[in-house]
Amino acid sequence: MRMNDNLAQQQKEFLSFLKCKLPPEQASFRHQVEDIGNIDINTRLGIYQNAYQVRLEETIDTDHNTLGVYLGEELYDLMMTEYIACHPSHQFSLRHFSQQLPNFLSSHAIFSEHPQLSELARFEQRLLNAFDAADSERASFESLKELPPQHWPELKLRFHPSVQLLENHWNVVEIYKALKNDQTPPDAIQDKNNWLLWRNAENLTEFRPINKAAYTMLVSFQKGLNFAGVCQNLLEFMPEQEVSNTALEILAYWLNSGVIARMVSQP
Amino acid sequence: MKKEFLGFGLGLRTDHFQDVLQDKPEIDWFEIVSENFFVAGGKPKYYLHAIRELYPMVMHGVSLSIGSTDPLNMEYLKNLKTLINEVQPKWVSDHLCWTGVDNTNSHDLLPLPYNEEAVKHVVARVKQTQDYLGQAILLENVSSYLTYKNSTMTEWEFLSQVAKDSDCYILLDINNIYVSARNHGFKAQDYLNAVDPERVCQFHLAGHSDYGDYVIDTHDNDICDSVWALYEKALQRFGPISTMIERDDNIPSLQTLQAELTQAKQIAEKVLGKDTIRENLHKEIANTGWQCA
Ligand SMILES: [Fe+2]
């Protein structure tokens, strides 16, 4: 027998006991536990089984509180129980424990019938991502004004690491906002809508609807296009005389909102 | 690592970030939970760095899983080392327990059997961890709720042997001793008497939930009289040891926790003498048994 075989076997049995829903009296692991009288073995094992469940439930609840309110207690409990059973933690930090929740909801027999649930969960996760994404410098509106006109066409942007684009097919942001304000959420309706999420200079998470022009600019800049190339893409759906003004307005808004980390103007 | 008397500290919690930074309260030092700062940036990192500028800090982890039979998680250790470089803590601690196996994390502090096999296993891993981090670590006694049939020694014998053989330090959680003593029916004083004062570098104090037949380590309550009494005994044996209060749930205002911390300081002053507390602050403590005032 190799060293640690006993220990390894014991740990495997303990962990599978924690993960299973088997009552302690039926768990084979109980035979490894000393009966010293003052507390019965079922209680001892129950303490660990309960702690395992509760800690993971609290983690989901911290990250997806709004989803919980939306689902109501009964469905939320069902969701947490099944998610914990299907997706045990493989990470050393609880920060990412709920990561699979949007996929879980969209593939679950009951929850997938309400696609807004998965989208709402995804929205909450994007907010969390923005909350603790990496820090970086932020470009100011002033630095744009200092840019010589001949450098404009070559201008490229580096966005703040917290910047994310969210494409929804349901009115989940409206649902989210209502629930956050303790109001009755609107009925779920299918509605294509795009959002820009980021963390501002005060470290507060922001989300704003993003129109077609801003969406096109963001995606184009993120692909590495320069200002000239980005304007070219705007021309596809916008009259030529509106393009530069629109682009400038959006750029100014981004700079004033802390969305842009750096402007790169060297060809 | 230097066994320094840091005085009386608190666990740094999100709820108090702003108050600490703004009011700069008279707290000697803070303990952070390492994993909470394994993030890239944002508010947690902002407050961490700003508060670190003002106070000494120690790092306390919950996921080292030193007793697991999985290989040591090198990715975890890498994250830990990065944070150590950022924070420059006085020292780094985790728990004498295991948290998962087969790459699955229970996120709970699970007990080890107290036998030779487990000692050898843990000692090898502590040495590996200390080599990687380039410093000695502290291991904390956990609260436990079951005893294994294959244990062949007491918890304090196990803790002492691991510390001695791996040359690590001990973070003695006074509340955990009390909780485990109640749950397993041993005498808390026997525990204290068996631990080598040379190895003890930090104390934890906390509240728990008492269900009559058993006690659960919940950190959601004030410290109870029995734990204060045990703290007094611990001071008598171990002398001026850096002490902090852990509060993780039902978190009160910073002022309330400061008042509880003042109580700890007053007990220490009563047991060891005000002068001893003042004179030893920020000094290296290298005692082999404390002579009580
Ligand atoms: Fe502790």
mmCIF file of all heavy atoms in Angstrom, chain A residues 8 11 21 47 60-62 72 75 89 91 102 109 117 126 138 141 152-153 161 171 181-182 187 212 222 233 256:
data_model
loop_
_atom_site.group_PDB
_atom_site.id
_atom_site.type_symbol
_atom_site.label_atom_id
_atom_site.label_comp_id
_atom_site.label_asym_id
_atom_site.label_seq_id
_atom_site.Cartn_x
_atom_site.Cartn_y
_atom_site.Cartn_z
ATOM 1 N N ALA A 8 -6.071 9.385 1.497
ATOM 2 C CA ALA A 8 -6.741 9.751 0.239
ATOM 3 C C ALA A 8 -8.132 9.136 0.177
ATOM 4 O O ALA A 8 -9.107 9.801 -0.178
ATOM 5 C CB ALA A 8 -5.902 9.296 -0.947
ATOM 6 N N GLN A 11 -10.518 10.935 2.472
ATOM 7 C CA GLN A 11 -10.933 12.247 1.965
ATOM 8 C C GLN A 11 -11.942 12.114 0.829
ATOM 9 O O GLN A 11 -12.908 12.875 0.744
ATOM 10 C CB GLN A 11 -9.697 13.046 1.520
ATOM 11 C CG GLN A 11 -8.814 13.408 2.712
ATOM 12 C CD GLN A 11 -7.609 14.271 2.360
ATOM 13 O OE1 GLN A 11 -7.308 14.491 1.186
ATOM 14 N NE2 GLN A 11 -6.903 14.747 3.374
ATOM 15 N N LYS A 21 -26.748 13.892 -1.365
ATOM 16 C CA LYS A 21 -27.881 14.358 -0.551
ATOM 17 C C LYS A 21 -28.301 13.271 0.453
ATOM 18 O O LYS A 21 -29.327 13.375 1.110
ATOM 19 C CB LYS A 21 -29.057 14.695 -1.462
ATOM 20 C CG LYS A 21 -28.796 15.850 -2.366
ATOM 21 C CD LYS A 21 -29.341 17.137 -1.794
ATOM 22 C CE LYS A 21 -28.267 18.193 -1.811
ATOM 23 N NZ LYS A 21 -28.164 18.986 -0.648
ATOM 24 N N ILE A 47 -23.628 18.477 10.483
ATOM 25 C CA ILE A 47 -23.019 19.807 10.588
ATOM 26 C C ILE A 47 -22.157 20.093 9.354
ATOM 27 O O ILE A 47 -22.237 21.164 8.751
ATOM 28 C CB ILE A 47 -22.175 19.924 11.881
ATOM 29 C CG1 ILE A 47 -23.092 19.925 13.112
ATOM 30 C CG2 ILE A 47 -21.303 21.180 11.868
ATOM 31 C CD1 ILE A 47 -22.356 19.777 14.451
ATOM 32 N N ILE A 60 -23.776 31.860 -4.126
ATOM 33 C CA ILE A 60 -24.686 32.143 -5.244
ATOM 34 C C ILE A 60 -25.542 33.354 -4.903
ATOM 35 O O ILE A 60 -25.754 34.240 -5.729
ATOM 36 C CB ILE A 60 -25.590 30.921 -5.540
ATOM 37 C CG1 ILE A 60 -24.745 29.721 -5.974
ATOM 38 C CG2 ILE A 60 -26.616 31.267 -6.623
ATOM 39 C CD1 ILE A 60 -25.536 28.433 -6.154
ATOM 40 N N ASP A 61 -26.003 33.400 -3.682
ATOM 41 C CA ASP A 61 -26.901 34.478 -3.282
ATOM 42 C C ASP A 61 -26.202 35.838 -3.302
ATOM 43 O O ASP A 61 -26.817 36.853 -3.619
ATOM 44 C CB ASP A 61 -27.477 34.186 -1.893
ATOM 45 C CG ASP A 61 -28.670 35.084 -1.593
ATOM 46 O OD1 ASP A 61 -29.552 35.188 -2.470
ATOM 47 O OD2 ASP A 61 -28.697 35.697 -0.529
ATOM 48 N N THR A 62 -24.937 35.859 -2.957
ATOM 49 C CA THR A 62 -24.191 37.115 -3.019
ATOM 50 C C THR A 62 -24.058 37.593 -4.466
ATOM 51 O O THR A 62 -24.237 38.777 -4.765
ATOM 52 C CB THR A 62 -22.769 36.924 -2.427
ATOM 53 O OG1 THR A 62 -22.906 36.383 -1.121
ATOM 54 C CG2 THR A 62 -22.011 38.221 -2.362
ATOM 55 N N GLY A 72 -38.179 33.931 -6.792
ATOM 56 C CA GLY A 72 -38.977 33.589 -5.610
ATOM 57 C C GLY A 72 -38.329 32.415 -4.898
ATOM 58 O O GLY A 72 -37.559 31.643 -5.489
ATOM 59 N N LEU A 75 -38.395 28.409 -6.251
ATOM 60 C CA LEU A 75 -37.619 28.120 -7.458
ATOM 61 C C LEU A 75 -36.131 28.417 -7.247
ATOM 62 O O LEU A 75 -35.262 27.721 -7.776
ATOM 63 C CB LEU A 75 -38.144 28.939 -8.636
ATOM 64 C CG LEU A 75 -39.404 28.406 -9.311
ATOM 65 C CD1 LEU A 75 -39.926 29.411 -10.324
ATOM 66 C CD2 LEU A 75 -39.135 27.062 -9.987
ATOM 67 N N SER A 89 -17.368 22.955 -6.909
ATOM 68 C CA SER A 89 -16.306 23.940 -7.142
ATOM 69 C C SER A 89 -14.977 23.271 -7.497
ATOM 70 O O SER A 89 -14.544 22.342 -6.827
ATOM 71 C CB SER A 89 -16.116 24.778 -5.879
ATOM 72 O OG SER A 89 -14.964 25.584 -6.012
ATOM 73 N N GLN A 91 -12.372 25.438 -8.049
ATOM 74 C CA GLN A 91 -11.455 26.566 -7.922
ATOM 75 C C GLN A 91 -11.121 26.858 -6.465
ATOM 76 O O GLN A 91 -11.877 26.500 -5.581
ATOM 77 C CB GLN A 91 -12.051 27.804 -8.580
ATOM 78 C CG GLN A 91 -11.613 27.932 -10.028
ATOM 79 C CD GLN A 91 -12.690 28.465 -10.931
ATOM 80 O OE1 GLN A 91 -13.863 28.419 -10.604
ATOM 81 N NE2 GLN A 91 -12.272 28.972 -12.063
ATOM 82 N N PRO A 102 -25.338 30.875 -15.923
ATOM 83 C CA PRO A 102 -26.099 31.194 -17.148
ATOM 84 C C PRO A 102 -26.286 29.968 -18.052
ATOM 85 O O PRO A 102 -27.396 29.719 -18.537
ATOM 86 C CB PRO A 102 -25.248 32.270 -17.826
ATOM 87 C CG PRO A 102 -24.513 32.928 -16.703
ATOM 88 C CD PRO A 102 -24.206 31.811 -15.731
ATOM 89 N N ALA A 109 -34.144 21.819 -17.718
ATOM 90 C CA ALA A 109 -35.484 21.485 -18.216
ATOM 91 C C ALA A 109 -36.525 22.548 -17.862
ATOM 92 O O ALA A 109 -37.311 22.958 -18.722
ATOM 93 C CB ALA A 109 -35.908 20.129 -17.664
ATOM 94 N N LEU A 117 -34.085 34.229 -17.688
ATOM 95 C CA LEU A 117 -33.359 33.877 -16.458
ATOM 96 C C LEU A 117 -31.858 33.789 -16.718
ATOM 97 O O LEU A 117 -31.049 34.330 -15.963
ATOM 98 C CB LEU A 117 -33.876 32.539 -15.904
ATOM 99 C CG LEU A 117 -35.335 32.518 -15.448
ATOM 100 C CD1 LEU A 117 -35.730 31.103 -15.046
ATOM 101 C CD2 LEU A 117 -35.542 33.492 -14.296
ATOM 102 N N ARG A 126 -21.667 39.955 -15.474
ATOM 103 C CA ARG A 126 -20.904 41.014 -16.145
ATOM 104 C C ARG A 126 -20.671 42.188 -15.193
ATOM 105 O O ARG A 126 -19.622 42.824 -15.231
ATOM 106 C CB ARG A 126 -21.630 41.475 -17.403
ATOM 107 C CG ARG A 126 -21.731 40.420 -18.490
ATOM 108 C CD ARG A 126 -20.364 40.042 -19.031
ATOM 109 N NE ARG A 126 -20.469 39.026 -20.050
ATOM 110 C CZ ARG A 126 -20.672 39.287 -21.348
ATOM 111 N NH1 ARG A 126 -20.775 40.536 -21.744
ATOM 112 N NH2 ARG A 126 -20.766 38.314 -22.215
ATOM 113 N N ARG A 138 -6.576 56.060 -17.391
ATOM 114 C CA ARG A 138 -7.727 56.462 -18.212
ATOM 115 C C ARG A 138 -7.369 57.709 -18.998
ATOM 116 O O ARG A 138 -6.809 58.660 -18.443
ATOM 117 C CB ARG A 138 -8.941 56.745 -17.328
ATOM 118 C CG ARG A 138 -9.475 55.506 -16.643
ATOM 119 C CD ARG A 138 -10.644 55.865 -15.744
ATOM 120 N NE ARG A 138 -10.767 54.924 -14.643
ATOM 121 C CZ ARG A 138 -11.620 53.905 -14.616
ATOM 122 N NH1 ARG A 138 -12.415 53.686 -15.641
ATOM 123 N NH2 ARG A 138 -11.674 53.095 -13.582
ATOM 124 N N PHE A 141 -10.550 63.723 -21.805
ATOM 125 C CA PHE A 141 -11.056 64.464 -22.947
ATOM 126 C C PHE A 141 -10.012 65.487 -23.414
ATOM 127 O O PHE A 141 -9.860 65.750 -24.601
ATOM 128 C CB PHE A 141 -12.367 65.154 -22.545
ATOM 129 C CG PHE A 141 -13.039 65.860 -23.673
ATOM 130 C CD1 PHE A 141 -13.431 65.160 -24.820
ATOM 131 C CD2 PHE A 141 -13.282 67.219 -23.609
ATOM 132 C CE1 PHE A 141 -14.047 65.816 -25.878
ATOM 133 C CE2 PHE A 141 -13.905 67.882 -24.667
ATOM 134 C CZ PHE A 141 -14.286 67.178 -25.793
ATOM 135 N N TRP A 152 -5.503 62.337 -36.466
ATOM 136 C CA TRP A 152 -6.844 61.788 -36.234
ATOM 137 C C TRP A 152 -7.127 60.467 -36.962
ATOM 138 O O TRP A 152 -7.597 59.514 -36.328
ATOM 139 C CB TRP A 152 -7.914 62.820 -36.622
ATOM 140 C CG TRP A 152 -8.216 63.731 -35.463
ATOM 141 C CD1 TRP A 152 -7.573 64.883 -35.132
ATOM 142 C CD2 TRP A 152 -9.221 63.524 -34.482
ATOM 143 N NE1 TRP A 152 -8.113 65.429 -33.997
ATOM 144 C CE2 TRP A 152 -9.133 64.607 -33.576
ATOM 145 C CE3 TRP A 152 -10.187 62.538 -34.268
ATOM 146 C CZ2 TRP A 152 -9.971 64.739 -32.484
ATOM 147 C CZ3 TRP A 152 -11.025 62.667 -33.198
ATOM 148 C CH2 TRP A 152 -10.907 63.751 -32.314
ATOM 149 N N PRO A 153 -6.865 60.394 -38.261
ATOM 150 C CA PRO A 153 -7.237 59.157 -38.967
ATOM 151 C C PRO A 153 -6.572 57.900 -38.394
ATOM 152 O O PRO A 153 -7.127 56.810 -38.452
ATOM 153 C CB PRO A 153 -6.770 59.417 -40.398
ATOM 154 C CG PRO A 153 -6.696 60.901 -40.512
ATOM 155 C CD PRO A 153 -6.293 61.395 -39.159
ATOM 156 N N PRO A 161 -9.954 47.857 -18.880
ATOM 157 C CA PRO A 161 -10.162 46.402 -18.784
ATOM 158 C C PRO A 161 -11.562 45.996 -18.301
ATOM 159 O O PRO A 161 -11.980 44.860 -18.494
ATOM 160 C CB PRO A 161 -9.105 45.955 -17.765
ATOM 161 C CG PRO A 161 -8.072 47.034 -17.783
ATOM 162 C CD PRO A 161 -8.775 48.308 -18.132
ATOM 163 N N ASN A 171 -35.723 41.888 -22.057
ATOM 164 C CA ASN A 171 -35.646 43.143 -21.308
ATOM 165 C C ASN A 171 -35.109 42.920 -19.881
ATOM 166 O O ASN A 171 -35.699 43.390 -18.911
ATOM 167 C CB ASN A 171 -37.027 43.819 -21.265
ATOM 168 C CG ASN A 171 -38.097 42.917 -20.665
ATOM 169 O OD1 ASN A 171 -37.976 41.692 -20.710
ATOM 170 N ND2 ASN A 171 -39.150 43.501 -20.116
ATOM 171 N N ASN A 181 -34.904 48.215 -7.213
ATOM 172 C CA ASN A 181 -35.639 49.294 -6.556
ATOM 173 C C ASN A 181 -36.874 48.792 -5.806
ATOM 174 O O ASN A 181 -37.785 49.572 -5.531
ATOM 175 C CB ASN A 181 -36.043 50.347 -7.590
ATOM 176 C CG ASN A 181 -34.846 51.053 -8.154
ATOM 177 O OD1 ASN A 181 -33.909 51.378 -7.425
ATOM 178 N ND2 ASN A 181 -34.832 51.264 -9.455
ATOM 179 N N ASP A 182 -36.902 47.492 -5.547
ATOM 180 C CA ASP A 182 -38.029 46.884 -4.828
ATOM 181 C C ASP A 182 -39.370 47.112 -5.520
ATOM 182 O O ASP A 182 -40.401 47.243 -4.857
ATOM 183 C CB ASP A 182 -38.109 47.426 -3.388
ATOM 184 C CG ASP A 182 -36.946 46.937 -2.551
ATOM 185 O OD1 ASP A 182 -36.519 45.788 -2.783
ATOM 186 O OD2 ASP A 182 -36.458 47.692 -1.696
ATOM 187 N N ASP A 187 -43.221 42.460 -17.241
ATOM 188 C CA ASP A 187 -43.279 41.140 -17.876
ATOM 189 C C ASP A 187 -42.057 40.980 -18.778
ATOM 190 O O ASP A 187 -41.583 41.955 -19.356
ATOM 191 C CB ASP A 187 -44.544 41.020 -18.733
ATOM 192 C CG ASP A 187 -45.785 40.900 -17.856
ATOM 193 O OD1 ASP A 187 -45.631 40.534 -16.669
ATOM 194 O OD2 ASP A 187 -46.898 41.189 -18.360
ATOM 195 N N LYS A 212 -26.675 51.939 -32.119
ATOM 196 C CA LYS A 212 -26.010 51.239 -33.211
ATOM 197 C C LYS A 212 -24.664 51.867 -33.561
ATOM 198 O O LYS A 212 -23.679 51.167 -33.807
ATOM 199 C CB LYS A 212 -26.921 51.220 -34.443
ATOM 200 C CG LYS A 212 -26.422 50.280 -35.521
ATOM 201 C CD LYS A 212 -27.394 50.158 -36.673
ATOM 202 C CE LYS A 212 -26.801 49.238 -37.749
ATOM 203 N NZ LYS A 212 -27.630 49.199 -38.965
ATOM 204 N N GLN A 222 -12.307 47.795 -31.012
ATOM 205 C CA GLN A 222 -11.795 46.606 -30.310
ATOM 206 C C GLN A 222 -11.098 45.647 -31.282
ATOM 207 O O GLN A 222 -10.203 44.921 -30.896
ATOM 208 C CB GLN A 222 -12.934 45.884 -29.571
ATOM 209 C CG GLN A 222 -13.238 46.525 -28.210
ATOM 210 C CD GLN A 222 -14.333 45.817 -27.436
ATOM 211 O OE1 GLN A 222 -15.204 45.189 -28.033
ATOM 212 N NE2 GLN A 222 -14.298 45.937 -26.122
ATOM 213 N N ASN A 233 -16.890 52.263 -41.289
ATOM 214 C CA ASN A 233 -17.945 51.324 -40.887
ATOM 215 C C ASN A 233 -19.247 52.051 -40.556
ATOM 216 O O ASN A 233 -20.335 51.517 -40.793
ATOM 217 C CB ASN A 233 -17.510 50.484 -39.687
ATOM 218 C CG ASN A 233 -16.518 49.410 -40.101
ATOM 219 O OD1 ASN A 233 -16.340 49.151 -41.297
ATOM 220 N ND2 ASN A 233 -15.873 48.787 -39.124
ATOM 221 N N ASN A 256 -15.079 61.073 -21.216
ATOM 222 C CA ASN A 256 -15.576 61.688 -19.976
ATOM 223 C C ASN A 256 -16.097 60.665 -18.975
ATOM 224 O O ASN A 256 -16.250 60.970 -17.798
ATOM 225 C CB ASN A 256 -16.678 62.702 -20.298
ATOM 226 C CG ASN A 256 -16.106 63.962 -20.906
ATOM 227 O OD1 ASN A 256 -14.995 64.379 -20.563
ATOM 228 N ND2 ASN A 256 -16.827 64.564 -21.843
#
